[in-house]
Amino acid sequence: MASDARRNTIVVALGAAAVAGVALLYRFDPNAAGSPFPGCLFRAFTGLYCPGCGMTRMLHALVHGDIASAASMNVLALIGLPVLATYALEQLMRRRLLDGVIRRIAFNGRAWIVAALVFGVLRNLPYAPFKALAPG
């Protein structure tokens, strides 16, 4: 019983944080001067794009229904959102929504780490088509 109460508390807290995040992203534009959202420290120190660069702007575009702009900011994070949502739903519902090969691929943490590292390198290459991976 105690674990159910704890689980419910965590779900409510995460849900409240998600609603607050969506509200902030809807209200404030991370592209605007004086934005309350911090910039990327990795980019500030190295001048390079990290795998997460553009994620806040991607979420802002997504909250406003602009999928094309969202994809131009961080396509890997955009692809990862449905996977993350599916995993969260599975944990919440305590049942599998995906099975077989799709599950092994989608929920393979090592594959996501490798994808993030490769994405981080490719988006910094100054050649087509890799230049398109840099945040919009």
Side-chain angles (χ1 to χ4, degrees):
M1 295 294 171
S3 67
D4 284 342
R6 181 176 178 195
R7 181 185 194 91
N8 291 340
T9 301
I10 291 170
V11 167
V12 169
L14 289 174
V19 168
V22 168
L24 280 172
L25 285 165
Y26 190 81
R27 171 70 177 90
F28 297 104
D29 184 357
N31 299 301
S35 168
F37 300 105
C40 177
L41 290 176
F42 184 83
R43 174 118 170 104
F45 287 118
T46 67
L48 299 171
Y49 298 115
C50 76
C53 276
M55 196 177 310
T56 304
R57 293 179 289 155
M58 181 270 301
L59 290 169
H60 173 76
L62 201 56
V63 165
H64 288 275
D66 189 351
I67 295 172
S69 288
S72 75
M73 294 298 171
N74 192 318
V75 71
L76 183 64
L78 185 63
I79 291 167
L81 281 177
V83 174
L84 181 62
T86 302
Y87 181 78
L89 276 174
E90 282 193 354
Q91 296 305 306
L92 182 62
M93 296 169 54
R94 296 182 185 186
R95 71 179 193 94
R96 286 186 171 194
L97 298 174
L98 299 175
D99 283 316
V101 174
I102 293 174
R103 180 182 186 78
R104 284 194 301 275
I105 293 170
F107 296 162
N108 185 332
R110 288 186 180 128
W112 280 101
I113 290 169
V114 169
L117 292 172
V118 170
F119 179 69
V121 170
L122 293 179
R123 70 188 328 207
N124 285 290
L125 296 177
Y127 316 107
F130 306 115
K131 285 174 35 173
L133 296 175

